[in-house]
Amino acid sequence: MKVSIVVPCYNEEESIPIFLRESKKVLETMQLSDFEFVFVDDGSKDNTLNVLKTLVENDKCVHFVSFSRNFGKESALYAGLEKATGDYIAVMDADLQDPPALLPKMLAALQSEGYDCAATKRVTRKNEPVVRSFFARLFYKIMGFLSDVPVVDGARDFRLMTRAYKNAVLALLERNRFTKGIFPWVGFKTKWFAYENIERVAGKTKWSFWKLFLYSIDGIIGFSTKPLAFSALCGIMSILLSFALIAFIAVRRIAFGDRVQGWASLVCFITFFAGLQLFCIGISGLYISKIYTEVKHRPIYIVKEER
Ligand code: UDP
Ligand code: MG
């Protein structure tokens, strides 16, 4: 029985050696027949690739894939899962925010409790900026309402899965990959483990507020078509409103013989509906842009070097 650990790395030169040391300590206590690490260098600009090359020289359980440029964590995960050969495959961040100490319990859930996947979520958002926590919570609320798959608040990408689960994830060939949606979408039986938020050991987070915002839009567009229905609904509501207004103005004209009035209200209506129209066109545009990137069928990642 072999366990593979897939680790996406972007500028993680400091974290990788610490991560490897700490995770190995845990794996060695687990009585596994074999284990391997698949590091994916996602076009790092620091010394990550050299660090990985040295590790591969000295340690036969270490492998790596290095991308030609930064393709994003989602692509790195895909490449790592493809390369992993274990019976059980774990996905972990390089910064030790995903505690390796959980691995034995997660493996037990898969081996003896009949689960196909062990997933993790953090129960606290301690040490996180307040504004970010607020918007993160808001995102999960909106996502919960819009999406067809359950996206769990605080879910991490840290998971241990069976080979069948991994193959199901790899079978989803979309270019716009939103892992937080893909994992629940494939189904299977998942057991959740909760833990407190942990600070990264070294380096800094790659997620700016703006990047997170765009990522959340990707998630909504990728896993829900409700915004499209919403724009159609806006159209219908406007038509109904216009009927009511027509009736109102006609009655007022016939019954009271009113003169033409209402320059201000006219301007308000025009600007409001011009805005609403552009907003709805924008929603359609977002979906079209996703179709555009999908139909081009570009590869999910490009490998420069692997070992
Ligand atoms: N990562 C990556 N490609 C990217 C950004 C991040 O492979 O473009 C990796 C990163 O090296 C880390 C993991 O994804 O191992 C999570 O990133 P990070 O710790 O910055 O995110 P956070 O934990 O702050 O959400
Ligand atoms: Mg992190």
Side-chain angles (χ1 to χ4, degrees):
M1 190 199 57
K2 180 174 176 181
V3 170
S4 302
I5 312 270
V6 172
V7 194
C9 309
Y10 180 56
N11 298 345
E12 302 281 7
E13 55 178 7
E14 295 161 69
S15 315
I16 291 171
I18 313 174
F19 170 83
L20 186 64
R21 196 182 61 222
E22 295 301 316
S23 332
K24 261 177 108 168
K25 265 190 222 159
V26 176
L27 289 170
E28 273 155 7
T29 62
M30 282 167 68
Q31 289 143 3
L32 304 166
S33 60
D34 197 7
F35 60 81
E36 66 170 4
F37 288 86
V38 180
F39 290 96
V40 185
D41 165 34
D42 185 10
S44 299
K45 293 184 178 66
D46 66 357
N47 235 342
T48 298
L49 182 56
N50 289 331
V51 170
L52 290 176
K53 280 181 178 166
T54 336
L55 290 176
V56 170
E57 297 297 316
N58 303 322
D59 201 332
K60 66 173 177 26
C61 73
V62 176
H63 306 279
F64 75 82
V65 184
S66 180
F67 288 175
S68 61
R69 64 167 171 85
N70 179 247
F71 278 86
K73 184 182 177 185
E74 312 288 323
S75 302
L77 280 181
Y78 193 91
L81 288 178
E82 268 189 324
K83 197 175 168 71
T85 55
D87 304 288
Y88 297 97
I89 305 99
V91 176
M92 295 175 85
D93 285 2
D95 56 13
L96 281 176
Q97 279 191 304
D98 301 331
L102 270 180
L103 284 170
K105 273 200 267 174
M106 292 164 81
L107 187 64
L110 266 57
Q111 282 189 312
S112 45
E113 295 168 39
Y115 288 95
D116 306 288
C117 181
T120 58
K121 62 177 176 186
R122 45 181 188 176
V123 277
T124 53
R125 289 184 172 272
K126 189 168 75 181
N127 304 325
E128 197 186 52
V130 188
V131 183
R132 179 177 288 206
S133 296
F134 172 77
F135 280 102
R137 291 229 168 78
L138 185 68
F139 164 71
Y140 282 109
K141 286 238 167 67
I142 296 174
M143 199 67 198
F145 171 69
L146 291 178
S147 161
D148 312 324
V149 294
V151 177
V152 176
D153 186 359
R156 305 265 321 160
D157 288 342
F158 177 23
R159 281 179 183 242
L160 182 71
M161 59 191 92
T162 59
R163 199 179 277 166
Y165 191 98
K166 177 197 96 161
N167 289 337
V169 170
L170 289 178
L172 270 72
L173 289 169
E174 59 220 67
R175 268 67 190 161
N176 299 295
R177 302 188 73 78
F178 181 71
T179 310
K180 287 188 193 324
I182 287 176
F183 283 143
W185 189 91
V186 298
F188 293 95
K189 238 178 113 185
T190 301
K191 180 166 185 179
W192 286 92
F193 292 84
Y195 63 89
E196 302 255 317
N197 193 24
I198 303 165
E199 294 254 23
R200 54 162 48 238
V201 280
K204 48 181 191 298
T205 178
K206 276 86 205 172
W207 294 91
S208 64
F209 189 80
W210 180 241
K211 256 178 125 178
L212 278 176
F213 176 72
L214 294 179
Y215 184 64
S216 61
I217 300 282
D218 276 353
I220 292 170
I221 303 292
F223 283 87
S224 172
T225 49
K226 287 200 183 103
L228 289 172
F230 167 78
S231 59
L233 189 71
C234 283
I236 293 170
M237 301 292 272
S238 315
I239 292 169
L240 292 178
L241 179 68
S242 78
F243 285 160
L245 282 171
I246 290 167
F248 171 71
I249 290 165
V251 168
R252 202 173 62 165
R253 178 80 182 91
I254 294 160
F256 306 104
D258 262 0
R259 292 249 151 249
V260 176
Q261 263 183 0
W263 180 86
S265 54
L266 194 65
V267 169
C268 295
F269 273 121
I270 289 174
T271 49
F272 176 76
F273 285 104
L276 191 66
Q277 279 171 5
L278 285 176
F279 179 64
C280 292
I281 293 172
I283 292 178
S284 313
L286 284 173
Y287 283 89
I288 293 169
S289 74
K290 296 295 170 198
I291 300 170
Y292 179 59
T293 49
E294 293 297 338
V295 295
K296 282 195 280 192
H297 281 297
R298 289 185 176 165
I300 296 173
Y301 58 88
I302 294 170
V303 174
K304 186 174 69 181
E305 212 178 325
E306 69 181 308
R307 223 165 292 168

